[in-house]
Amino acid sequence: MILNNKVILVMGLRNKWSISWGVIRKAYENGAKVLYTYNQGDEEKMKKLTEELKGAKGYRCNVSSDKDIEKCFKQIKEDYGKLDGILHSIAHANTEDLRNDFILTSREGYAHAMDVSSYSLIAICKYAIELDLLNENASIIALSYYGSEKSVEGYNVMGAAKAALEASVRYLAKDLGKKKMRINTISAGPIKTLSAKGIKDFNSILDIVEEKAPLHRNVTIEDIGNVATFLFSDMSSAITGEVIHVDSGFSTVGV
Ligand SMILES: NC(=O)c1ccc[n+]([C@@H]2O[C@H](COP(=O)([O-])OP(=O)(O)OC[C@H]3O[C@@H](n4cnc5c(N)ncnc54)[C@H](O)[C@@H]3O)[C@@H](O)[C@H]2O)c1
C-alpha cells in the first residue's frame, strides 16, 4: 500500500459528499493514518462519519484565524507527531458574490473569498513549517477548479481566488522545495457538493462536461481521492508546483 506509515491531515471535511471525504477514504485504503479538520458541523457528526476509519481523529479549525491554525497544529503535533501530507480542501465566498455579476463584487467579499480560499493555504504552510510539523518529503495538495483559467458563468470571485491559489502553489513550491517538500494543486472537475450548490446553474455545468469532455463523464470524489493518494505518495516525488487536472479531460478541449 503506497501510503503505509504516512500520516495525512485532510483539512475541510464537511459531509460524505465533500471532496475531502473521497481523499480521506482513498488515503486510508492505501495505508495512511488519517487526521482531519472541520469548521462547520458538530463533532459528533464528524465522529460518526469517520467511525469506520481506525485511528481517524478530527480537529476543529477556522482557517481565517492564525490563532486557530496555530492551536490546531500544536495539538496535532502533541497528539501524533509529524505529518507526511496535508490536503487543503477549503473555500468560501459570499452568496451574493456568486449570484451577481462579477463587476459588483464588493471589496469585503473579494477579501473574504481570497482570505478563506487562497491565503489560508499560505498560512497553513507557514505554521506547518514554523511548528516543525512536516516530515522531510512531505506533500501538500490544494484543490482548484477550471474557473481559475477561464471565465465560468457564476464562478466569479471564486475564479479569482483559485487563480491566486494556483499562483501561490507555484511560489510555495520554491520555498518548500528547499526543505525537500512538495506542493501541488488538483484542478477537479465539477462535483455536486454542498459548496457547489452555491454556484448558479451548477447542474448545467455538469451537463456540459458530460457532453464535451473527452471521457464524456463527470468526475467523482473517488477520482480525486486516487490522484491525491498518488500525490501524497513517494511515487510522485519529482512533481511539485503543478496544477493537475482531474476533469475527464474537459480543460484540454478547445472547440
Ligand atoms: N465541488 C466542486 O465542483 C469543486 C471543484 C473543484 C474544486 N473544488 C474545491 O474543493 C474544495 C472542497 O470543496 P467541496 O466541493 O468538497 O465542498 P465542501 O463544502 O464539502 O467543502 C468545503 C469546506 O470548506 C470549509 N470551510 C469554509 N470556510 C472555512 C473556514 N473559514 N475555515 C475552515 N474551513 C472552512 C467548509 O467547512 C467545508 O468543509 C474547495 O476548495 C473547492 O473550491 C470543488
Side-chain angles (χ1 to χ4, degrees), residues 108-123:
E108 185 279 329
Y110 192 87
H112 170 74
M114 283 286 170
D115 180 51
V116 177
S117 318
S118 179
Y119 178 75
S120 61
L121 179 71
I122 302 170

Side-chain angles (χ1 to χ4, degrees), residues 12 14 18-19 39-40 61-63 89 144 162 190-191 193 195:
R14 192 175 204 175
S18 294
I19 293 177
N39 189 37
Q40 283 120 320
C61 182
N62 173 4
V63 297
S89 188
S144 191
K162 291 300 189 190
I191 301 176
T193 63
S195 288

Side-chain angles (χ1 to χ4, degrees), residues 5-91:
N5 302 319
K6 290 200 187 280
V7 185
I8 303 295
L9 174 66
V10 170
M11 302 188 73
L13 180 60
R14 192 175 204 175
N15 54 36
K16 65 176 177 182
W17 295 285
S18 294
I19 293 177
S20 52
W21 179 234
V23 175
I24 287 177
R25 288 218 325 271
K26 287 294 172 185
Y28 181 79
E29 275 170 37
N30 282 285
K33 176 189 267 295
V34 181
L35 311 174
Y36 61 91
T37 71
Y38 59 97
N39 189 37
Q40 283 120 320
D42 62 67
E43 194 182 338
E44 283 316 305
K45 245 172 141 179
M46 293 298 150
K47 274 191 182 153
K48 194 147 181 21
L49 179 62
T50 56
E51 68 190 351
E52 280 166 26
L53 312 180
K54 226 173 99 199
K57 182 157 190 251
Y59 298 81
R60 190 179 285 276
C61 182
N62 173 4
V63 297
S64 287
S65 155
D66 285 338
K67 271 205 182 104
D68 241 47
I69 297 173
E70 191 177 17
K71 187 173 150 214
C72 171
F73 282 4
K74 276 187 176 159
Q75 193 60 53
I76 289 172
K77 193 164 180 207
E78 201 179 306
D79 294 347
Y80 289 94
K82 292 195 185 186
L83 303 174
D84 301 290
I86 300 178
L87 176 79
H88 176 284
S89 188
I90 292 169

